Amino acid sequence: MGAHLPWASPAERLRVVDAAAGALEGTAWYTLDGVGDGETEVAVHGAPPDLPGAGDWHAPCAERSALFTDGLPAALVTDVLVACTARAVTVLRATAAAGRGRAAAEDVADEAACCYASLVAGGDERRATLAAHHAWLCRTAARQGTSLEGGPGVRSREAAPDARLAALGAALDEASGADRPLKQKLVARAVHIQVVRLRGPDDRSLLAQEAALVAALAATSST
C-alpha cells in the first residue's frame, strides 16, 4: 500500500522522510518522489500503518510503472527499492544534521557509485548499464525540453559494495537471465530514483547533475 506525504520545502521533505523512517522501523518500506508537487510517496508491505500526515492509502505508484511490469519478479524489484531507501535515509539524516535540505553532490556521487558497484559486479556490464542510463536521461530530457549541459563533474570516492545490494544484484542476474537489458533498465531506474531521493524532485538541475555523474562513473568504471 502507498500514501502520499506532503512537504513544502527541501528541509521539510527530509523531516517527513525521517519521521516515516522512525514510524516504519522494522517494516519493509520505500519512498518514491515526484508523484505530485510537494509530495513523497511511502509504500509498505501489508496493512497500512498509522503514519501521521499520510493521505489515502492506495496501490503504490511504482507498481503501476514499467519498473514492475517489465518482467522481473515484483518482490525482487521491491527489495531493491527498500534497500536503496534504507541507504538514502542514512544519507538524508546526515544531510539534515548538517543543516542542508539536499544531499551534497559528493554524497550523491558516492551513493550512485556504491549502488552501481553493488548491483552490477562486472566492469563491462556496468559500463553497458551506465550507457543505457545516460541514453535514458537523454530521451527524458528531450521529452521535457530540458538540457543536460552544465551538470557538475563530481567524481565519487572509492565505493565499497553494499552486501545487501550485491546479493540483490546477483538475484537480478538470475532473474533476468540472458536478457541483460532487462536488468540494465532496472538498475538505471533504481539509481535515478536514489538520486532524486537525495537531491529532491524540486531540484531543477537534477537531470543535468545526474547525466554528469553517470558520465563520470562510466569514465572511471573498472573491469
Side-chain angles (χ1 to χ4, degrees):
M1 300 295 289
H4 293 186
L5 299 174
W7 45 269
S9 68
E12 186 178 0
R13 186 179 72 91
L14 300 196
R15 290 193 292 271
V16 164
V17 172
D18 180 61
L24 297 172
E25 186 173 359
T27 302
W29 68 288
Y30 64 86
T31 64
L32 185 68
D33 290 289
V35 294
D37 291 339
E39 291 183 331
T40 293
E41 183 177 72
V42 170
V44 299
H45 284 296
D50 182 13
L51 191 59
D56 294 336
W57 289 90
H58 52 263
C61 293
E63 293 184 6
R64 302 195 296 270
S65 73
L67 277 173
F68 282 85
T69 60
D70 273 351
L72 288 169
L76 182 54
V77 177
T78 297
D79 286 346
V80 172
L81 297 177
V82 168
C84 288
T85 294
R87 290 185 56 86
V89 167
T90 299
V91 176
L92 292 178
R93 282 176 167 167
T95 298
R100 298 192 302 267
R102 308 183 195 280
E106 295 80 5
D107 293 334
V108 177
D110 289 348
E111 181 61 20
C114 178
C115 289
Y116 262 106
S118 304
L119 289 168
V120 189
D124 289 342
E125 184 181 354
R126 194 177 306 141
R127 282 189 290 274
T129 306
L130 287 160
H133 188 160
H134 194 273
W136 176 77
L137 289 171
C138 290
R139 294 193 300 272
T140 301
R143 287 196 305 270
Q144 295 180 357
T146 59
S147 172
L148 294 182
E149 300 298 323
V154 178
R155 291 186 180 273
S156 63
R157 290 159 285 198
E158 188 68 24
D162 178 286
R164 183 179 181 185
L165 287 179
L168 290 170
L172 287 170
D173 286 337
E174 183 176 351
S176 58
D179 190 355
R180 307 318 292 165
L182 186 60
K183 179 185 176 181
Q184 291 170 6
K185 184 175 180 179
L186 173 64
V187 171
R189 299 306 185 276
V191 174
H192 168 71
I193 291 169
Q194 190 76 333
V195 171
V196 178
R197 284 190 186 107
L198 298 179
R199 290 295 298 175
D202 56 334
D203 185 346
R204 295 183 181 277
S205 63
L206 186 67
L207 286 182
Q209 294 178 55
E210 187 176 346
L213 170 57
V214 168
L217 288 175
T220 58
S221 181
S222 61
T223 57

